Amino acid sequence: MNKKLFKCELLNEEYTVTTLRNGLKIYIMEKQNFDSVYAVFGTKYGSIDNCFSLNNGEYIEVPNGIAHFLEHKLFESEDGDAFAKYSKTGAYANAFTSFDKTCYLFSCSSLFEENLDILLNFVQSPYFTEQTVRKEQGIIGQEIRMYDDSPGWCVLFNALEAMYHNHPVKVDIAGTVESIAEIDDNLLYECYKTFYNPANMFICIAGKVDTDKVLDKISSAIKPCDKIQINRKKVDEPASVVTNYVEKQLEVALPLFCVGYKQQLKTEEPSLRDSIAVNLLLKLIFGESSHFYKRLTDMGLINDEFETEYFTGRGFAAILLEGESYEPKKVAEEIKKEIYSVLKNGIDAELFEAIKRDSFGDTIKRYNSVNNIAMMFIDAAVSNYNIFDEIEILREITLEEVLKHIEIFDENKAVLSVISPKEK
Amino acid sequence: MGAKLVNITNGVDGVFIENSRFNTTIISFNCYLPIKKSDIASNALLPYILTSCSEEYENFTLLNRRFNMLYGADLEVSVDKTGDTQHIKFSVSVINDRFAFDGSSIVLDATNLILSLIFKPRLNGKSFYDEDINREKRKMVENILGEINEKRLYAKNRIIAEMYKGLPYGISKYGELDDVEKLDGSDLYSAWQRLLLNSYVRVQVIGDVLPKDFFDTVAQRFADIPRNPYTDYKAFSTLEPSDTVHYVTDKMNVSQGKLVLGFTSETNGVNCYKFNVMTDIFGGGPYSKLFENVREKMSLCYYCSASPAVTKGHLLVESGVEFDNMERAEKEILNQLIAVQNGDFDDTTFEASIKSICGSLKSCNDSLGSLDSWYATRIFTDELVSPDDAIEEISKITKQQVIDTARGIKLHTVYKLIGEGSARDE
């Protein structure tokens, strides 16, 4: 067991990262003045991991949506349903699957140890049968249908499809009704065996806990596993976009848009420092205090739904600017114009100072919540960094460094996705 | 916590909840006015104008930069219905002074800023500037139109409008589209006057310290205002049961149907905890009757859940289902209600519900936003009720009380949103 302590004087907080001999990483922050605890057991396995090999064997390609399907099914063990067990303790339990991870979580204000037992137990006890798989196909089928009617979801995935030729990030996390129909119990076991190995997993806990006791419990509860080698098939993704415009009609009142700028990554994913810099850049150019935001609001082109995101994960990165507008094409043009203007005129230093303070305050606020702390741990576990570094980076980063990232706004790699109202 | 209401001035109360576990302080200014068709749209638009500019900061860019400089102080505005009362909320959450780079008093500065937005707006004589009104009107109209994007929320709003047709609670929280479009400067000025003169106001501060003399400062702001505050905010009016069930169906180009069932109850403000527990056993957590049967056993949907509207005493069951499965789902939801009414749920489920509700109430103390919202929406009682007080009451509830509460539940309206090509049309 290897245990490291991280401290932040400014916040008066500390946490430990412990790596067990089997490779499982455990993040714990004690918050003794809180009533509740938030705990997550996760794996670096998400919707994009759909072609892989175990221990240098042959690559197998699995149906889209299988990571999410597995998440649903893992709640059922041979000795009963995990929700039923949680219901005896009163904990809130849930799970989620993203592009590159699957996480099982609970929050509770009492009986933490019992809840941790339930979490550790069910995540390590897969139980899939033909019958239970079939039952879940109906439920997830309805989840997929629900998202089919969500314009916000569709505008994003259409933008991703327009940007990515081959990368599986363009595929809906839940898959399609057709792809999940191909899932069976054997495939689920295959994926489980590959990705639910402790070496590929992490546990994140924040709240009223005793670190040493928790570590003892986890160490003794983790089942022995063979060391494995996971190879995720490298995707050959061209730098170019597939198409620069995509439009779909749905039942909406005014059009939704998503402008995306695809980034060609030099590393597997952007560093924490680069992510902070790009997020600052987005606030500077497009945030609520920017000239752009005022100009487009005054022109009636955007409303409070307008938002930006640096969308990143394993093997993909893009800038996304989303919102509602009667004139999406004009918004996309104005975004380009604004980039030219910043390239020509720069950004005033006073605004940079204001945005830095704003981001610093946002970071401090995140430590108000055990839920947020656990979420920060998840990102840190997946991308391997110290969460306190964010504060230091924000203190020292310069406008010059931030502005270097403007090169991501490459016009040739821009896409516009629009959801427009159905023609009656 | 033992927080108490402090009377600041006529119809203005203050609450300070001391809580040192956060890095942040939240200050919220909650104004309550009766829901009236003639006023609801202007009352709803007003806070968005007040928080987009002020006498000191003439446009939202300057104002936002000021908030940025206050270390990302979050200014939030919301408009909601609490019973038959319109609840207009201004809040600012700001990191505590010890984090300031230069030793400045961030909390006090943010507090003064929010007061200046409410009391010193950007006025053009006895009106607001057209540019500010038109900008916020356009955004409000787009916001109302955009409600159609989220079909689950749209279906929920539709059933409320149908259940409360002709009643104050049936009006959309932002007012109707036509009413918003007609608003002018004098309407907004009147709304501002109403807010200052006639609303019941509750000022809440949650943090490690109450900013020095804050409640006195609030009293001074109101000193020259001839207050005639709204006093009926504690009234509790519920929807009468209906002799016949109303069926409403809308058609839209959707791939999944939405089914919402609206029920009345015999709840009044006093017995709301029993109502909460009963609703939770019926369709709350994963141990509930609806989750176990409609989702897990029958695989009819991804979600099928019941939620109580405590301030109006009604209950909604919402689900997303295939058009062809709607009748089966409706029938099963009603079967499960009968099961609860017959006491057909075991002690494990009952205890799970009590533990789950108490657990989430306990967690309220760990969230500034939850605490603020908890106190701001509980205006029906004379004494402040804390989440811990609620836990104590809920722990005393018996299974029989849940059954009795369930027996007072009556189906009122069934709302369906179906696809345009769907054969089912009622």
Side-chain angles (χ1 to χ4, degrees), chain A residues 33 35-36 87-88 135 142 149 151 251 288-289 294 297 302-304 357-358 364-365 368 422, chain B residues 23-24 61 64-65 68-69 72 74 138-139 142 151 252-253 255-256 296 299 322 352 355 366:
Chain A
N33 56 350
D35 285 316
S36 46
S87 71
K88 292 188 177 133
K135 182 205 83 177
Q142 285 311 308
D149 286 331
E251 197 72 61
E288 290 181 22
S289 303
K294 176 151 190 346
T297 301
I302 57 170
N303 59 30
D304 294 346
R357 278 197 185 196
D358 183 89
I364 301 285
K365 278 183 218 156
N368 278 339
K422 286 213 166 172
Chain B
N23 297 330
T24 317
T61 307
N64 284 332
R65 287 187 187 194
N68 294 147
M69 286 305 281
D74 282 324
R138 193 247 323 156
K139 290 200 290 182
E142 290 177 4
K151 307 297 180 284
M252 211 186 264
N253 262 307
S255 56
Q256 182 189 64
E296 291 295 306
S299 293
E322 292 280 345
K355 277 184 190 159
D366 286 343

Side-chain angles (χ1 to χ4, degrees), chain B residues 1-180:
Chain B
M1 305 227 161
K4 286 202 165 42
L5 272 184
V6 178
N7 183 251
I8 296 176
T9 186
N10 186 13
V12 181
D13 290 329
V15 188
F16 171 54
I17 314 283
E18 190 181 343
N19 194 324
S20 58
R21 68 188 74 176
F22 305 114
N23 297 330
T24 317
T25 298
I26 190 165
I27 300 115
S28 74
F29 217 88
N30 301 277
C31 306
Y32 306 87
L33 284 161
I35 295 177
K36 285 186 191 163
K37 169 95 171 86
S38 55
D39 300 342
I40 196 164
S42 54
N43 289 348
L45 188 64
L46 175 74
Y48 293 93
I49 294 178
L50 294 183
T51 52
S52 67
C53 53
S54 70
E55 193 180 280
E56 191 177 357
Y57 300 96
E58 69 169 23
N59 64 50
F60 60 87
T61 307
L62 296 172
L63 186 58
N64 284 332
R65 287 187 187 194
R66 178 68 189 130
F67 279 105
N68 294 147
M69 286 305 281
L70 289 172
Y71 299 85
D74 282 324
L75 173 67
E76 285 191 18
V77 166
S78 67
V79 176
D80 227 320
K81 294 182 286 187
T82 300
D84 289 340
T85 293
Q86 192 176 14
H87 175 196
I88 299 151
K89 183 189 188 90
F90 305 84
S91 72
V92 63
S93 75
V94 57
I95 57 170
N96 292 333
D97 294 347
R98 71 184 176 93
F99 296 107
F101 295 159
D102 51 8
S104 56
S105 303
I106 326 172
V107 178
L108 191 63
D109 288 351
T111 307
N112 288 331
L113 185 52
I114 196 169
L115 287 177
S116 75
L117 296 182
I118 297 166
F119 289 91
K120 288 194 175 294
R122 183 174 183 245
L123 290 176
N124 182 11
K126 290 203 165 191
S127 182
F128 288 84
Y129 283 91
D130 283 348
E131 64 189 59
D132 296 330
I133 298 168
N134 292 337
R135 178 189 63 242
E136 296 307 320
K137 255 170 73 169
R138 193 247 323 156
K139 290 200 290 182
M140 178 63 85
V141 166
E142 290 177 4
N143 185 16
I144 294 172
L145 289 171
E147 283 175 2
I148 203 171
N149 294 358
E150 293 305 322
K151 307 297 180 284
R152 183 174 178 172
L153 184 63
Y154 176 81
K156 189 176 172 182
N157 289 342
R158 281 286 294 121
I159 196 170
I160 296 285
E162 290 291 338
M163 287 173 79
Y164 290 89
K165 205 178 259 181
L167 296 169
Y169 195 76
I171 307 170
S172 155
K173 64 181 179 180
Y174 299 123
E176 307 302 336
L177 206 55
D178 290 352
D179 295 332
V180 177

Side-chain angles (χ1 to χ4, degrees), chain B residues 3 24 38 41 45 48 55 63 76 80 99 185 192 243 288 291 294 297 303 306 327 330 342 359 363 374 389 392 412:
Chain B
T24 317
S38 55
L45 188 64
Y48 293 93
E55 193 180 280
L63 186 58
E76 285 191 18
D80 227 320
F99 296 107
W192 181 56
D243 293 336
S288 70
F291 187 91
V294 186
K297 279 196 188 143
Y303 70 90
E327 275 175 31
E330 182 185 337
N342 290 337
S363 304
W374 170 271
D389 296 333
E392 208 180 314
H412 185 284

Side-chain angles (χ1 to χ4, degrees), chain A residues 82 94 107 148 150 210 291 318:
Chain A
N94 210 338
S107 78
D148 285 346
S150 167
D210 178 316
H291 298 296

